Amino acid sequence: MVLDNIGLLVTNDPMLDRGLLGVIRDASVVFDGETVVSVGAAGQTADERVDAAGRCVIPGFVDSHTHLVFAGDRADEFAARMAGASYTAGGIGVTTAATRDSSDNELRALALARLSEARRAGITTIEIKSGYGLTVEDEARIVRLAGELTPETTFLGAHLVPAEFAGRADDYVDLVCGPMLAACAPHSRWIDAFCEIGAFDVDQCRAVLRAGRAAGLVGRLHANQLGFGPGVQLAVEEDCASADHCTYLSDDDIGALVSGNTIATFLPAADFSTRQPYADGRRAVGAGVEIALATNCNPGSSYTTSMSFCIALAVRDMHLTIEEAVYAATAGGARALRRDDIGRIAPGRRADLVVLDAPSYSHLVYRPGVPLIKTTFVGGAVAC
Amino acid sequence: MVLDNIGLLVTNDPMLDRGLLGVIRDASVVFDGETVVSVGAAGQTADERVDAAGRCVIPGFVDSHTHLVFAGDRADEFAARMAGASYTAGGIGVTTAATRDSSDNELRALALARLSEARRAGITTIEIKSGYGLTVEDEARIVRLAGELTPETTFLGAHLVPAEFAGRADDYVDLVCGPMLAACAPHSRWIDAFCEIGAFDVDQCRAVLRAGRAAGLVGRLHANQLGFGPGVQLAVEEDCASADHCTYLSDDDIGALVSGNTIATFLPAADFSTRQPYADGRRAVGAGVEIALATNCNPGSSYTTSMSFCIALAVRDMHLTIEEAVYAATAGGARALRRDDIGRIAPGRRADLVVLDAPSYSHLVYRPGVPLIKTTFVGGAVAC
């Protein structure tokens, strides 16, 4: 198949030497099944032709941080926060109770609806974490359900100490590192923990990451969301693929990120929804930190699937350029998932791409709040 | 027709004594043609039934400030501004050149596409200004084209001094108040001017407002967008329906608004897109100012039709409550257009309403960037 008559094509291909986004005007892309086989000028031919009518085409968004499998709604908590209450990690317990009370089929239906919404938002690859079960059985079923939707599943048993372990956090960490990990590892690619005051401390997080690694998982870490802390440097030390949030970054944190192999994943929609200050993306990029943008879709602190919204915030409030933000939401996400088959439109890569109802990717920021995703191709097929 | 099985109905009806939004749970609304005839519990009957399936229904958004008729794109100017350039009124000239060069049919097609987008965003009443013609002939055709789309047309000849009048602003104001007004008044309900350094001063704006009033139009004014100034107090003195932007409000401005009959219309998407500070909506509402929210859809400073985005910004960054923001985008907009047939769901009012793909209006803020407009009814008919 050929997607032809593309007015502006973002490839993210550095081989083209056409800026960060590897932009080609008047282009076409040929796929064979799930894979791109040719990127070139408009007018390439194939057995089937789709006309982009001069629109802009970009790589599909890679959303490397979501919590998509949950039940319940925390709109009231959100409204109270907007009226002045502060955000703490504690609300996770509310979602955990609702999730435990839901059947597999209920959770499956809810997560599928959110995945459809994410596809309509242009997200072609999505990471999904557990973390609203917090028992061996519930965590295992959440990663199993997540695995029905994506290969990028993350075991986040260390999301919050559940009420039944109050005052016994270390006992809970032992459970996470032992039987819970054993039950979840077969369904998971990643191990994650929430390193924050009110959640888990640096030693507990290190124990979780190391146990996960011993079970064949690769680390990622919730770090420095609500204040400065040891999370980012721990993530780098433990060779995590990503340190997520990074709202508060010290000079030492930035130095660690630059020297290590860990991507800084910014989640500006969470800063929006918790009224935190936005991360200083400009400073991080200026220092040479590799970054990603993700939605952090979850019912407490960031209930959005709109990567476009995240990109707009990243430009307006994190002072990234539009190009940097689009790159971070596509190629950056791929790096944060240590994937080299996605995040770029080039021969041999997956045919994951998005037709925008706009002549330029700039419109993702220039037209904030406007749904601009016209068609999402996942593995060469129209997903919505 | 009955819209039944509404989980949460926002009426904005103060007679119900159910908070600012006049909320009813498990409701139904009966329309006869364009008009609501009954609001009550779920299960009312009529010849035709639409099932809201437990969703939230709100009054249609009333967008009291847009510049929908224009040609051209200023994405590059926007990108430069996001990279550090500052916003001035001067870019209006770029759009004016493109608009003058376009045929009626080209402008009509562009404006219609934007109107469709606005309907999909839940906007049921829209005000449209001229202001990208700046000649007698071009201003007249813009208000005429606007009048094909809405009764809420505004003559904004005093948008910017066009290049051909450089250094002769007073001569241009004479043209606006004379032949241009004469050509535009038959197609216009409102008269507007841009009171700002770089645009028109207070005496020029007063002359325009008074000339408009003498021609049967009612005033509204762009005021205090880029700094403190005399605009807001002028708007109140001249009994304008609305002072728009109000990003910078002095204590005297607030006092004038409280004592007068002029609505303060906030345009937070413009503050977003020009990286201005957000207006202090909390302070204004706390002082007793009546407010509206509008999109300010235009190619320079706010190219969005998303009232949901404006509501989210108004809560997050102007510190309105969710209820205040939703009210301002519906009943507030109606007040800013001096209309009492819209902005509320009550017997005798127009059947302009929106079914949200959400259980509560709170989701407009709780789920930022997510398109939540399921169905828009305009005058009892499904518009999208």
Side-chain angles (χ1 to χ4, degrees), chain A residues 231-301:
Chain A
V232 167
Q233 293 180 56
L234 174 66
V236 174
E237 287 162 21
E238 296 296 323
D239 192 35
C240 288
S242 177
D244 293 38
H245 283 291
C246 294
T247 302
Y248 295 85
L249 289 178
S250 69
D251 289 346
D252 286 349
D253 293 333
I254 285 185
L257 288 164
V258 169
S259 67
N261 191 29
T262 300
I263 303 295
T265 298
F266 294 114
L267 309 170
D271 299 328
F272 182 92
S273 291
T274 59
R275 240 192 228 128
Q276 288 283 313
Y278 293 99
D280 189 346
R282 179 83 266 124
R283 170 169 164 250
V285 169
V289 173
E290 277 197 84
I291 67 164
L293 281 175
T295 66
N296 190 16
C297 184
N298 81 79
S301 62

Side-chain angles (χ1 to χ4, degrees), chain A residues 73 117 299 304 363 366-368, chain B residues 73 117 299 304 363 366-368:
Chain A
D73 179 304
E117 189 184 277
T304 188
H363 283 229
Y366 179 45
R367 310 215 58 209
Chain B
D73 179 305
E117 189 183 278
T304 187
H363 282 230
Y366 180 44
R367 309 215 59 210

Side-chain angles (χ1 to χ4, degrees), chain A residues 73-75 78-79 82 117 271-273 275-278 297 299-300 303-306 309 312-313 315-317 319-320 322 359 362-363 365-371, chain B residues 73-75 78-79 82 117 271-273 275-278 297 299-300 303-306 309 312-313 315-317 319-320 322 359 362-363 365-371:
Chain A
D73 179 304
R74 281 154 64 192
F78 176 83
M82 287 296 116
E117 189 184 277
D271 299 328
F272 182 92
S273 291
R275 240 192 228 128
Q276 288 283 313
Y278 293 99
C297 184
Y303 194 7
T304 188
T305 50
S306 177
F309 178 69
L313 291 179
V315 172
R316 202 273 185 188
D317 291 309
H319 294 261
L320 301 183
I322 298 174
S362 296
H363 283 229
V365 188
Y366 179 45
R367 310 215 58 209
V370 178
Chain B
D73 179 305
R74 282 155 63 193
F78 176 83
M82 287 296 117
E117 189 183 278
D271 299 328
F272 183 92
S273 290
R275 237 190 231 131
Q276 288 283 312
Y278 293 99
C297 185
Y303 195 7
T304 187
T305 50
S306 177
F309 178 68
L313 291 179
V315 172
R316 202 273 185 187
D317 291 309
H319 294 262
L320 301 183
I322 298 174
S362 296
H363 282 230
V365 188
Y366 180 44
R367 309 215 59 210
V370 179

